[in-house]
Amino acid sequence: TGIEQYERVTEERQYNEKTRHSMAQAMEVQQHLIPKSEPVIEGLDISGRCIYCDETGGDYYDVFKTGAATEKSFAVIVGDVSGHGVPAALLMANLQATLRSQVLQDTSCHLCVSNCNRLMYLSTTHDRFATLFYGRLDLRSSVLTYCNAGHERPYHLTADGEFTRLTAGGLAVGILEEFDYEDDIVILQPGDTLVIFSD
């Protein structure tokens, strides 16, 4: 009947409105997790950008000072959680909080990623995971220590045009409860460029 059709259309409209509202809230939360501006670090030019293919997504990056105020060390993080939409945004928020808590404990890169892996594995379903690049830059020595957990391999381009890919690390986080991640280092020279990206 006409009344039943009207009620069905009304219910669908209300459902769609609630979905749009939920997506808008997820997008707002997610935008607050991405840096609004990059830190000013003497001797470095830093630029970052995140563009989602829909309202929300699973990509995440962060750059922030670590350790005590007297230390000259910065964390550089790029990640990509599985899926899109609200579930991906929630998982990304969880990953960001977990990472920041681990980084501020001043553990090595591979232990930080290992702890994140275990926590993600225990708090998500088996089909949820994240790729992750975590680097820690010591400005005094220009040494970047990093662990790449299944993420797109960043490029290190030297001033004279040579490049290498940053591969050391291991499996994406959240797939296995235990995994032995590895660190490696890159010594940055004047004129070098580090390109860290997601798909």
Side-chain angles (χ1 to χ4, degrees), residues 81-122:
V81 304
S82 59
H84 290 278
V86 175
L90 292 173
L91 187 56
M92 191 263 270
N94 181 34
L95 177 63
Q96 192 251 19
T98 301
L99 269 169
R100 279 198 165 237
S101 69
Q102 293 299 315
V103 169
L104 294 176
Q105 290 183 30
D106 200 26
T107 57
S108 64
C109 290
H110 73 277
L111 284 178
C112 174
V113 173
S114 180
N115 291 338
C116 286
N117 171 68
R118 187 178 305 108
L119 291 168
M120 179 168 282
Y121 179 87
L122 294 173

Side-chain angles (χ1 to χ4, degrees), residues 54-76:
D54 50 25
E55 290 88 349
T56 58
D59 296 305
Y60 156 67
Y61 80 93
D62 210 349
V63 181
F64 59 92
K65 190 172 181 9
T66 64
T70 56
E71 293 182 5
K72 292 191 174 181
S73 176
F74 283 82
V76 181

